[in-house]
Amino acid sequence: LLLRSNDQEFSRKNAILLTELGSQEIPIFLELLVSQNEVFRKVAQEALVQIGRDAVPALLAVMEKRSGDDALSKEILAIFKKLGPAGVPMLVTNIKISKPEARKVIVQALTFIGKSGLPAAISVLRLDQSKELKDVFQDICIQIGPSCLPELFLLVSDSVPIAQNLAEETIRAWGG
């Protein structure tokens, strides 16, 4: 009720208070995120960004459950973009525990975050040297495009073989 005011500033202040309660309030914000009211959606988006990476699993679950809802996907991808590199470790962690359909959503989210998320993603790859993650990161780099080349050129001489392999295969996929 406190969040459903048409006064955006009033709703925003109440949302900030709720974010201090942490992740237990995520369902409320997810409900508002699918509201027809733009003020509610904006307040929910700001609150979920404030909650941060703890909101990532719930956001992915909603995207997966409502995969045909382009408007909702757009709202959630905007949240991931605002989270930026801070959300990358949680997104990457979910790659390995999610169903294949959810992995597509994660790839889409990481691609939407873009080049700024690559250092965090590569750090995770160095720790968890699985082919599955390498393949996902290669897809992301290809979707982001050649703006990734500076990061990839640095990886060619990386001390971790799977990071080298990621760089070499991605550069080759672009015809380099």
Side-chain angles (χ1 to χ4, degrees):
L1 186 61
L2 293 173
L3 297 176
R4 292 186 186 271
S5 167
N6 284 325
D7 179 346
Q8 184 173 354
E9 187 59 25
F10 179 77
S11 293
R12 190 182 68 71
K13 285 180 181 176
N14 288 319
I16 289 169
L17 291 173
L18 282 176
T19 60
E20 291 176 8
L21 296 173
S23 59
Q24 67 190 27
E25 298 305 325
I26 291 173
I28 293 169
F29 295 122
L30 291 175
E31 182 183 324
L32 291 175
L33 196 60
V34 299
S35 168
Q36 296 297 318
N37 186 312
E38 185 178 347
V39 171
F40 298 167
R41 287 193 314 272
K42 190 170 203 147
V43 166
Q45 192 181 79
E46 288 176 20
L48 289 163
V49 169
Q50 287 296 318
I51 291 171
R53 65 187 211 151
D54 289 343
V56 170
L59 290 166
L60 290 171
V62 169
M63 271 184 91
E64 184 179 356
K65 194 181 297 181
R66 298 182 59 167
S67 62
D69 188 338
D70 292 338
L72 177 62
S73 291
K74 185 178 174 185
E75 296 281 344
I76 292 175
L77 289 173
I79 292 168
F80 288 137
K81 187 161 190 163
K82 287 179 182 176
L83 284 174
V88 170
M90 189 60 94
L91 285 166
V92 170
T93 299
N94 278 279
I95 288 172
K96 294 187 82 171
I97 60 173
S98 298
K99 298 176 188 168
E101 312 85 62
R103 286 190 194 121
K104 292 176 189 171
V105 171
I106 294 168
V107 168
Q108 187 178 13
L110 289 167
T111 302
F112 200 73
I113 290 171
K115 181 180 164 180
S116 67
L118 285 179
I122 291 166
S123 293
V124 173
L125 179 63
R126 285 185 180 118
L127 296 173
D128 178 352
Q129 299 179 26
S130 72
K131 182 180 179 337
E132 180 181 18
L133 285 182
K134 186 214 53 107
D135 291 345
V136 168
F137 293 153
Q138 183 175 354
D139 289 345
I140 292 166
C141 289
I142 288 170
Q143 289 181 38
I144 292 172
S147 66
C148 298
L149 280 171
E151 286 82 1
L152 292 172
F153 284 135
L154 291 174
L155 288 178
V156 169
S157 59
D158 199 273
S159 62
V160 178
I162 199 156
Q164 290 174 354
N165 188 262
L166 165 68
E168 292 165 356
E169 287 183 17
T170 306
I171 292 168
R172 243 181 270 134
W174 285 323

